[in-house]
Amino acid sequence: MAHHRTYAGALAAALMLLPAAALAQGLNLDLGALAGGSLGEGASLSGRIIQGIVLLTVLSVAPGLLIMVTSFTRIIVVLSLLRSALGLQQSPPNVVLLSLAMFLTFHIMGPVFDAAWQDGLRPMLNEQVTQEQGLERMVEPFRGFMAAQVRDKDLSAFAGFSGKPEAERPKTAEQAELRLLVPAFLLSELRRAFEIGFLIFLPFLVIDMVVAAVLMAMGMMMLPPVMIALPFKIIFFVLTDGWFLIAGSLIRSYGGA
């Protein structure tokens, strides 16, 4: 049951940025009814086709929506920088990094997904609340998550870009519109990811410098230092249990246990 709530919460994240007016129409659109029934079954068939197109569009943009409003951005950038710091080009493969980032995201975002399911999506599916109310309830957990991570500087910058007068700009992240909060959240996530990446690079940079200095002292100028340093960086990373440390640090960076 917990898995169902997690995946349903992920669906809630995909739906949260859709316009409320579009959701209010539901999935029972019937062009025949809109046309007063004059077009008959042909119009109804056209309506079904449009429904299918809309559904496919929602499913195609769902991964992008999940990236924008979850911890996925920070995690995948850090893992990519880690691979670069190790000096590895294709190991671990992209599919492995994406899978690890996805499951770490599900772990971090579990309470948010669960809240979106319990408070918004499930009551809406059970017709206990209207679609507009369900959408608002689904958005709130993600808004709270982003508000806790976004920098005031980034939010103020996008509020200024909107061209609104100073008096009409949001005073807190909780009051900000999603079109301001989401890009500000992404900028904050990228900044923190690169800060973590800088700290990851430092020990591997030291290994590269030591290996290069030793090779130069030995007069082995033609031997590539990167090739010699690679096994030392790998064994250093393994001995320090690097994957465990990186995963734990990413989880704790969001206040996780």
Side-chain angles (χ1 to χ4, degrees), residues 9 18 27 29 32 44 51 72 115 117 119 124 149 214 222 244:
L18 291 177
L27 292 179
L29 177 64
S44 180
Q51 292 176 25
F72 185 87
W117 162 254
D119 300 335
M124 185 175 66
Q149 303 298 327
V214 170
M222 302 303 295
F244 174 80

Side-chain angles (χ1 to χ4, degrees), residues 17-151:
L17 295 181
L18 291 177
L23 286 178
Q25 295 179 6
L27 292 179
N28 58 352
L29 177 64
D30 191 343
L31 291 186
L34 294 178
S38 58
L39 297 181
E41 295 182 357
S44 180
L45 178 60
S46 300
R48 302 304 176 188
I49 294 175
I50 293 177
Q51 292 176 25
I53 294 174
V54 171
L55 181 59
L56 290 176
T57 302
V58 171
L59 293 177
S60 65
V61 301
L65 296 178
L66 287 174
I67 290 174
M68 288 189 292
V69 300
T70 65
S71 58
F72 185 87
T73 299
R74 184 189 303 186
I75 295 172
I76 193 61
V77 171
V78 169
L79 295 179
S80 298
L81 291 175
L82 170 63
R83 187 170 64 180
S84 298
L86 284 169
L88 301 172
Q89 299 299 321
Q90 297 296 331
S91 184
N94 289 333
V95 65
V96 175
L97 293 184
L98 289 172
S99 299
L100 178 59
M102 181 182 66
F103 281 103
L104 287 176
T105 299
F106 281 143
H107 178 79
I108 294 170
M109 300 295 299
V112 178
F113 289 157
D114 189 65
W117 162 254
Q118 295 287 354
D119 300 335
L121 185 57
R122 186 168 68 174
M124 185 175 66
L125 294 178
N126 293 335
E127 298 183 353
Q128 297 173 350
V129 297
T130 64
Q131 291 179 343
E132 291 83 356
Q133 293 172 335
L135 178 63
E136 292 177 0
R137 294 184 181 184
M138 283 191 292
V139 168
E140 287 308 313
F142 293 94
R143 183 190 298 276
F145 173 80
M146 291 187 287
Q149 303 298 327
V150 71
R151 295 195 310 163

Side-chain angles (χ1 to χ4, degrees), residues 158-179:
F158 277 95
F161 297 155
S162 66
K164 291 183 177 181
E166 184 70 27
E168 298 181 6
R169 296 176 186 176
K171 301 299 185 296
T172 63
E174 289 78 6
Q175 299 174 351
E177 301 175 6
L178 289 179
R179 65 187 182 91

